[in-house]
Amino acid sequence: MSLTDDMVKAKRCHIAVGTPGRIRALINAKNIDAKSTRLFVLDEADKLMESAFRSDLTWIFNQLPAHKQVIALSATYPKELENMVMKFMTNSEHVQVNPESNVLLGVSQFWLSCPSSHLPNVQSDIKFKLLLEILNKVSFSQCLIFSNYSVRAESICEKLEANGWPVMFLAGIMDQRDRLRALQSLKQFSCRVLITTDLSARGIDAANVNVGKNKV
């Protein structure tokens, strides 16, 4: 999205939400006064601590005042994350959901065995036939289907359209405005099926989605 637009919006904001790269650019351009920050939140902290984001995140942290509150949130908490997060905190409190509890109440999981083939195109055809079978047999309001690759997500979208399904795809190869348009279409219930990559694996709020299929 346009950096210029964000520079205008950031000048008088009280809460800035963004990717590490964009927040760093806004601080560097003095559109965000980092020294006035009192709360620093790392949402999906396990992802933010990966090498792709870590340098920007460390730079941002070093621009903030010494006295601030830091909150790190993550559905998974590997030991590596704990070690890195502790570098950003002092006198920290660790709050964890009971690992024995059923966090996702009301969610049922099922799996379907897929015949295998050493030929990629044949394997793809087998999976697509099974996907059509599921969509035609399972009652749902809206469905999210995850694919490993952006190109494959687009291909599945085209095939489902050819079979009469109101479908869109959401992937990293798309322009940001097209991504937002696809997400808005899902929220407004104008598409019943969204094909997507791991880009959408975190934080999508779509109230009508009640079926998800993983890794076509």
Side-chain angles (χ1 to χ4, degrees):
M1 302 296 285
S2 168
L3 177 60
T4 304
D5 291 346
D6 282 350
M7 290 172 74
V8 174
K9 295 174 184 176
K11 283 184 177 179
R12 300 184 64 181
C13 77
H14 295 284
I15 301 172
V17 182
T19 60
R22 179 52 57 95
I23 296 296
R24 177 174 181 169
L26 292 171
I27 293 174
N28 201 37
K30 303 190 184 306
N31 296 107
I32 291 178
D33 180 11
K35 295 302 180 185
S36 66
T37 302
R38 294 291 174 265
L39 178 62
F40 186 44
V41 180
L42 307 176
D43 192 24
E44 306 291 3
D46 58 334
K47 190 71 176 177
L48 290 177
M49 290 298 171
E50 292 180 358
S51 57
F53 301 106
R54 203 180 307 155
S55 61
D56 284 338
L57 203 64
T58 302
W59 185 91
I60 294 169
F61 183 82
N62 290 333
Q63 308 306 307
L64 305 178
H67 298 289
K68 59 187 172 298
Q69 184 179 9
V70 179
I71 300 175
L73 309 168
S74 178
T76 60
Y77 199 70
K79 190 67 179 178
E80 299 79 22
L81 172 62
E82 180 180 0
N83 294 335
M84 287 185 282
V85 165
M86 290 305 104
K87 296 177 182 178
F88 292 92
M89 297 182 176
T90 55
N91 302 320
S92 63
E93 291 285 344
H94 183 197
V95 180
Q96 183 178 19
V97 175
N98 182 355
E100 302 300 323
S101 69
N102 187 359
V103 180
L104 300 177
L105 294 175
V107 175
S108 300
Q109 297 188 36
F110 303 92
W111 61 273
L112 188 63
S113 180
C114 178
S116 62
S117 171
H118 65 282
L119 298 174
N121 59 320
V122 175
Q123 185 70 47
S124 179
D125 289 341
I126 292 172
K127 287 185 176 182
F128 184 74
K129 288 178 182 177
L130 286 174
L131 173 61
L132 277 180
E133 184 180 334
I134 293 171
L135 293 178
N136 286 315
K137 287 186 176 180
V138 177
S139 176
F140 66 91
S141 296
Q142 284 183 305
C143 175
L144 278 181
I145 299 172
F146 287 93
S147 173
N148 281 328
Y149 305 104
S150 297
V151 174
R152 187 176 295 169
E154 185 175 11
S155 174
I156 295 168
C157 181
E158 292 172 353
K159 289 180 180 179
L160 285 177
E161 278 185 328
N163 281 269
W165 283 96
V167 58
M168 297 187 74
F169 85 101
L170 178 62
I173 59 174
M174 301 167 63
D175 180 81
Q176 177 71 2
R177 288 181 174 81
D178 291 334
R179 294 186 210 171
L180 293 174
R181 194 175 300 116
L183 189 55
Q184 192 65 19
S185 177
L186 183 73
K187 291 183 176 182
Q188 293 177 347
F189 211 70
S190 55
C191 85
R192 288 196 64 204
V193 180
L194 181 68
I195 319 293
T196 185
T197 61
D198 286 351
L199 178 73
S200 308
R202 297 166 182 261
I204 277 199
D205 179 19
N208 292 307
V209 173
N210 57 352
V211 168
K213 189 176 187 307
N214 197 24
K215 304 303 181 190
V216 175

